[in-house]
Amino acid sequence: MSQSLNSFADLLKSARRSAVHLELRDVYSVDNEDEGFRAWKSGHRLDPDDRASWWRPWLDLVQEVTANGVSVKRARIISEPASEYIRYEHSFTFTNVAGGEEVRWLPRRSASDLLLPGNDFWLFDGRVVQFNIFDGDGRWVHTDQSDDPAVAQLCAAAFDAVWERAVPHEAYTIDE
């Protein structure tokens, strides 16, 4: 089971200033990535010059939102050495950047003194938090939403602390 892109799209499109996403896991098991992950493990890499081969609905959505002036940022806290899944994810993150996202990476050892939530989240305009709940194998289970100002403030502070320390995608390398 996965979250409907349409319901998430509506939430993202409702943002007026910002949408920030904090990812905390080293492994995600996302059904629509299975084929790409298998191909990557077999040596296939996306060609940045062949945009038609990798452009997808998510990138259309991000491009639409950022064209309306919304800042979309994603920060990933990862273990080093990186898991196979994170190496795969890093290999195609240039597509997120092409769509309009700003993406940064923070080695987990550099986050030890930060207070972080227990789950990945999206924070929209600093007001609405959507927590993404995954099982132990990285499969999405459900989302929890909160518009409690205290929860939003805690998530904003956590994201800002990570963002300040994290390395921009263009400068962060992972050995494959």
Side-chain angles (χ1 to χ4, degrees), residues 49-77:
D49 295 326
D50 184 12
R51 189 177 182 123
S53 71
W54 48 261
W55 198 261
R56 53 195 190 277
W58 168 250
L59 300 174
D60 284 332
L61 176 60
V62 171
Q63 190 172 51
E64 176 185 340
V65 169
T66 57
N68 289 330
V70 176
S71 171
V72 179
K73 296 179 179 179
R74 180 186 303 256
R76 294 176 169 141
I77 298 177

Side-chain angles (χ1 to χ4, degrees), residues 14-32:
S14 74
R16 295 294 163 242
R17 295 179 321 278
S18 65
V20 300
H21 184 36
L22 183 60
E23 295 181 4
L24 303 164
R25 300 183 55 85
D26 286 321
V27 176
Y28 294 89
S29 181
V30 182
D31 291 342
N32 67 356

Side-chain angles (χ1 to χ4, degrees), residues 8-22 58 61-62 64-74 100-102 121-130 152-153 155-157 159-160 163:
F8 181 80
D10 292 341
L11 193 54
L12 184 58
K13 287 178 184 181
S14 74
R16 295 294 163 242
R17 295 179 321 278
S18 65
V20 300
H21 184 36
L22 183 60
W58 168 250
L61 176 60
V62 171
E64 176 185 340
V65 169
T66 57
N68 289 330
V70 176
S71 171
V72 179
K73 296 179 179 179
R74 180 186 303 256
E101 284 187 62
E102 294 178 67
F121 67 83
W122 279 92
L123 175 61
F124 302 95
D125 290 332
R127 295 180 305 103
V128 176
V129 181
Q130 177 176 291
Q153 184 178 14
C155 288
F159 185 87
D160 290 347
W163 190 257

Side-chain angles (χ1 to χ4, degrees), residues 2 28-35 85 134 137-140:
S2 66
Y28 294 89
S29 181
V30 182
D31 291 342
N32 67 356
E33 291 183 349
D34 287 348
E35 185 178 328
Y85 179 85
F134 294 89
D137 293 320
R139 291 181 300 258
W140 178 83

Side-chain angles (χ1 to χ4, degrees), residues 28 33 38 40 49 62 67 93 112 116 136 139 141 146 158 168 173:
Y28 294 89
E33 291 183 349
R38 280 193 301 276
W40 178 85
D49 295 326
V62 171
T93 295
S112 295
L116 300 169
R139 291 181 300 258
V141 176
S146 175
T173 58

